[in-house]
Amino acid sequence: MARKNLEEFIQELEAADELVRIKTYVDPILEIAEITDRVSKTPAQNKALLFENTGTDFPVLINMMGSETRMAMALGRESIDDARVDIEELMGDLMTPKSGMLNKLQMLPKLGKLASWMPKVSNKKAACQEVIMKDPDITQLPVLKCWPADGGPFLTLPIVHTKSPVDGTRNVGLYRVQVFEKDMTGMHWHKHKVSAGHFNEYKKLGKKMPVAIVLGGDPLYSYAATAPMPPNVDEYVLAGFLRKKRVELVNCITQPEIQVPIDSDFVIEGYVDPAEDFILEGPFGDHTGYYSLADYYPKFHITAITHRKNPVYPATIVGIPPQEDAWIGKATERIFLAPIKMTMVPEIMDMDLPIEGVFHNLTIVKIKKEYAGQGQKVMNAMWGAGQMMFNKILVIVDEDVTISNYADVARLLTSHVDPERDIVLGTGPMDVLDHSCSAFAFGGKMGIDATKKYPEELRAQEQIHNPLHAALINVEEVKAQFPSVVDVYGGLLDKGISMAFVSIKKDRPKHVKKLAKELFTLPGFQQVKMLLFVDSLFDISDVADVVWRVSNNIDAKRDSFIFEADDNGEISHIALDGTRKTKEHDNFQRDWPNIITSNKKTIQAVDEKWDSLGLGEFIPSPSLKYLDQVYNEGAVAE
């Protein structure tokens, strides 16, 4: 479903009772983010929010795709899975061998439709250029500062347009943009991104690089900018397919080499000069739930700002999950399942990206297993599939598993996995935002083959499956014997999941490895396959929180310790060190970031104005749970 503009989507949301208009003044500095964080984490009150009084001329729309319902609405479908079905059908038609002339002719309408979704430069008068700022000033927009330690205000939903100077291919990406001056921002594209490749091409040519940033328009533009498209495929082809109508583009006014959608709400035109020194950009409270720390990125110089009449400024916030990005990620999981399984890994039946894994840290894949070693084969294929190269922990299960039932997955994982045999550790490229790697954007990966095993895959023909009970672990005795242990949680054992959590005060090198080795010799731990270690600051009975912490805080190869069984009649074990890493105890040479929370002043300000917001029953700040877990008030955990 194609929309004329963002206002049309707002009307759809309002008609579906999925939007709240907030007329009370709310400060774009910290307050909008704090309110959105509360709403997005409360399912019964989770709505899109339109802040109409921002202290600027423009309203802010946020959380517009922040639920399964609204994400499906943005896609123009009844459900997110409907988009997957459409793409699966299209790819099936295109990839099926055509043996006869009749079959080939029958494909012509399909190919015609495909051509009709290609973006097209229009000569129409563009709504996005109805108003041209005489003196471009990005500070006139309601740019949000989301979290206290952020380096400044950031555009959080900017659609960045670049082109290759070599072959003219366009890239559309979603990269945060920090505002420094009225006509200058940072340009935070990671080294793995296509726009960074375009930048390098301009640098070799010694030319300035034209860039345009779009805000608003059809929400599908924002989604397409996040999608893991191949480098040579235009993101607006995906948008055209999803909306069943081509994206119409117009040349920018001061950067005519770049084309943008005619129905955009705002267009910010400018250039990046590769010969210029980079600027220190950040920190930024990121989608991992931790701050990404300050680093040097190119400067973006603004040459024009245009917008349609009565535009809406779109934004999002990211932080400790769940947030709006979880549903954007769920759409990507569904939509790109078909291309992955049809073109690269045909045995894949389904996959799931748990919210706690923040996209790249944890992936569960269901396969139709037909031979020994197939789980490992799928691991290698997945890690070579586009942005799956950033995946940290990959779990492979059988076709009869409901992968959205995480308790069942964990139960099968620990019953089907022999750590010394079924866990594969390696290294490779990692996401730039992964703070746990010893080296920047390079670190460990873990593949877990949780499928049923063929005889040739077994260490022994008979595997031990002893009953597990949390009561077998005497927590007080453990704490008395090991003073660094603060708590032990064995609640999963009673559910048949051979996994326990241990919180500790780490005080020496190799602390976790040595402690795990000793714990696994104790009667209550001998049948526990997996121990997850975390810091002492939080409640380890919160399983989702532990999974989020550990998947963020481990370099899967460096921080995984496998203890082989003494003989084939015993089980093997694995311990994961999900604690904060330091120079003193871990020889970790990088700065470690803090988790993201609001501050007491902002929380109090929102508490006081809550009744005037029209958001229903009072929602306390999610940050209250985490305030005492922050190491200081800055972005770096010191």
Side-chain angles (χ1 to χ4, degrees):
M1 175 182 179
R3 300 175 179 89
K4 294 178 182 178
N5 48 48
L6 191 55
E7 181 61 39
E8 193 170 300
F9 186 54
I10 289 171
Q11 293 170 6
E12 290 176 37
L13 293 172
E14 199 160 27
D17 193 28
E18 287 288 338
L19 178 131
V20 175
R21 291 178 181 267
I22 298 173
K23 300 185 182 299
T24 302
Y25 169 70
V26 178
D27 196 335
I29 305 302
L30 300 181
E31 289 187 0
I32 287 181
E34 168 63 14
I35 293 168
T36 307
D37 193 34
R38 299 187 191 200
V39 169
S40 64
K41 288 182 167 63
T42 309
Q45 292 166 257
N46 182 7
K47 305 279 187 179
L49 305 176
L50 184 64
F51 292 90
E52 296 183 325
N53 187 350
T54 64
T56 73
D57 293 336
F58 311 110
V60 169
L61 176 66
I62 197 166
N63 204 32
M64 65 175 170
M65 295 180 280
S67 72
E68 185 168 6
T69 297
R70 295 196 297 280
M71 187 68 242
M73 290 177 67
L75 294 171
R77 271 105 177 139
E78 292 295 320
S79 73
I80 294 175
D81 255 319
D82 288 346
R84 174 191 60 80
V85 173
D86 288 348
I87 285 187
E88 202 164 71
E89 180 182 343
L90 174 67
M91 293 196 65
D93 287 339
L94 294 176
M95 294 176 64
T96 301
K98 308 299 182 292
S99 56
M101 181 59 69
L102 180 60
N103 285 335
K104 293 177 180 178
L105 290 174
Q106 287 174 339
M107 277 302 299
L108 292 178
K110 292 279 185 182
L111 296 174
K113 280 188 177 181
L114 187 61
S116 73
W117 301 327
M118 301 292 286
K120 178 184 178 181
V121 179
S122 172
N123 293 320
K124 293 181 183 177
K125 184 177 180 181
C128 66
Q129 295 170 348
E130 287 176 328
V131 179
I132 302 173
M133 276 194 183
K134 292 182 180 179
D135 179 21
D137 184 354
I138 197 171
T139 67
Q140 297 302 304
L141 278 56
V143 185
L144 306 189
K145 180 177 180 180
C146 296
W147 304 107
D150 282 356
F154 283 84
L155 279 68
T156 54
L157 210 57
I159 306 168
V160 179
H161 295 63
T162 64
K163 271 190 175 182
S164 167
V166 177
D167 59 17
T169 55
R170 175 177 28 247
N171 184 69
V172 180
L174 196 67
Y175 317 122
R176 76 192 194 212
V177 173
Q178 182 177 349
V179 174
F180 289 100
E181 300 173 8
K182 73 181 186 69
D183 57 359
M184 195 265 284
T185 76
M187 188 56 70
H188 185 99
W189 45 48
H190 296 170
K191 65 180 182 179
H192 302 110
K193 302 299 184 181
V194 176
S195 289
H198 291 172
F199 172 81
N200 290 330
E201 291 174 349
Y202 275 98
K203 187 173 183 177
K204 289 177 183 177
L205 294 172
K207 294 182 178 180
K208 292 181 180 179
M209 176 181 182
V211 181
I213 298 171
V214 160
L215 297 166
D218 192 320
L220 274 171
Y221 304 157
S222 296
Y223 172 69
T226 73
M229 299 291 286
N232 59 342
V233 177
D234 194 323
E235 286 79 7
Y236 285 137
V237 174
L238 174 64
F241 167 76
L242 291 171
R243 71 206 294 260
K244 302 305 180 188
K245 182 180 179 182
R246 71 167 83 245
V247 179
E248 290 190 83
L249 305 171
V250 65
N251 292 327
C252 286
I253 294 172
T254 60
Q255 306 294 335
E257 305 95 327
I258 303 294
Q259 293 78 41
V260 296
I262 63 173
D263 54 348
S264 308
D265 282 64
F266 294 89
V267 179
I268 305 168
E269 304 178 10
Y271 66 89
V272 173
D273 186 350
E276 195 173 23
D277 289 339
F278 285 7
I279 192 168
L280 186 64
E281 185 261 12
F284 178 73
D286 231 308
H287 74 271
T288 59
Y290 288 75
Y291 283 99
S292 56
L293 302 181
D295 205 347
Y296 287 92
Y297 284 91
K299 298 174 183 175
F300 171 66
H301 297 278
I302 298 170
T303 54
I305 298 178
T306 70
H307 60 82
R308 69 180 183 88
K309 294 177 182 177
N310 303 313
V312 177
Y313 178 91
T316 190
I317 65 165
V318 289
I320 295 175
Q323 300 277 19
E324 180 176 16
D325 60 314
W327 300 106
I328 296 173
K330 187 59 65 176
T332 294
E333 168 199 298
R334 298 291 85 203
I335 290 171
F336 285 87
L337 172 62
I340 288 175
K341 74 179 186 179
M342 286 185 165
T343 61
M344 290 176 285
V345 199
E347 55 265 72
I348 287 181
M349 302 185 69
D350 203 354
M351 68 178 182
D352 188 275
L353 306 175
I355 290 173
E356 293 77 14
V358 294
F359 303 115
H360 44 74
N361 284 342
L362 178 61
T363 302
I364 304 167
V365 175
K366 179 197 293 194
I367 68 169
K368 184 176 179 63
K369 184 175 179 179
E370 297 178 323
Y371 53 84
Q374 195 169 4
Q376 285 88 343
K377 178 258 188 185
V378 170
M379 292 174 199
N380 290 321
M382 291 290 285
W383 283 327
Q387 292 192 33
M388 279 302 298
M389 69 176 173
F390 299 132
N391 169 256
K392 184 183 293 188
I393 303 171
L394 184 59
V395 180
I396 312 295
V397 299
D398 289 302
E399 61 183 297
D400 59 349
V401 179
T402 303
I403 58 176
S404 59
N405 186 327
Y406 301 143
D408 280 354
V409 171
R411 192 174 298 110
L412 291 168
L413 186 154
T414 55
S415 63
H416 290 170
V417 171
D418 178 356
E420 71 174 82
R421 176 201 64 204
D422 300 325
I423 294 180
V424 177
L425 300 175
T427 55
M430 301 300 293
D431 193 276
V432 167
L433 302 180
D434 193 315
H435 61 262
S436 66
C437 301
S438 294
F440 177 70
F442 180 81
K445 299 179 181 294
M446 175 187 293
I448 304 176
D449 182 359
T451 61
K452 299 182 188 75
K453 301 303 184 295
Y454 283 81
E456 54 267 45
E457 295 178 290
L458 297 174
R459 178 161 51 88
Q461 294 301 310
E462 296 294 331
Q463 297 297 302
I464 293 178
H465 296 289
N466 288 350
L468 299 164
H469 299 287
L472 295 176
I473 297 176
N474 188 318
V475 177
E476 294 307 314
E477 286 188 4
V478 171
K479 291 163 67 174
Q481 185 174 349
F482 303 98
S484 64
V485 174
V486 175
D487 200 5
V488 179
Y489 176 71
L492 297 178
L493 302 176
D494 292 330
K495 300 177 181 180
I497 300 170
S498 187
M499 183 184 300
F501 306 151
V502 182
S503 61
I504 65 169
K505 291 182 178 178
K506 191 162 60 174
D507 58 15
R508 58 188 180 276
K510 299 183 180 179
H511 189 158
V512 170
K513 183 177 182 180
K514 293 175 181 177
L515 177 59
K517 184 176 182 179
E518 292 182 273
L519 289 176
F520 281 131
T521 66
L522 300 181
F525 291 89
Q526 286 176 349
Q527 297 305 316
V528 177
K529 288 185 179 179
M530 295 187 173
L531 281 182
L532 275 55
F533 288 81
V534 294
D535 292 304
S536 61
L537 297 177
F538 64 99
D539 177 12
I540 59 172
S541 65
D542 187 334
V543 176
D545 213 37
V546 171
V547 172
W548 165 62
R549 299 274 189 164
V550 172
S551 62
N552 262 299
N553 290 349
I554 64 166
D555 177 298
K557 188 169 185 179
R558 181 196 65 213
D559 299 326
S560 300
F561 310 112
I562 294 175
F563 301 91
E564 296 184 359
D566 293 332
D567 57 58
N568 285 341
E570 301 291 337
I571 69 170
S572 59
H573 310 275
I574 185 170
L576 302 180
D577 180 1
T579 63
R580 177 173 69 110
K581 307 305 184 295
T582 64
K583 294 178 182 178
E584 180 183 7
H585 298 139
D586 306 283
N587 194 30
F588 190 80
Q589 301 301 313
R590 301 173 65 197
D591 286 332
W592 192 269
N594 258 319
I595 59 171
I596 301 164
T597 69
S598 187
N599 57 30
K600 292 180 180 179
K601 181 180 178 181
T602 303
I603 292 170
Q604 182 179 351
V606 170
D607 286 352
E608 290 173 354
K609 66 175 62 176
W610 187 269
D611 289 342
S612 69
L613 300 175
L615 292 171
E617 185 177 346
F618 176 76
I619 304 172
S621 175
S623 291
L624 295 172
K625 176 180 177 181
Y626 298 101
L627 282 175
D628 60 354
Q629 300 172 25
V630 177
Y631 288 89
N632 57 36
E633 294 185 356
V636 178
E638 294 177 327

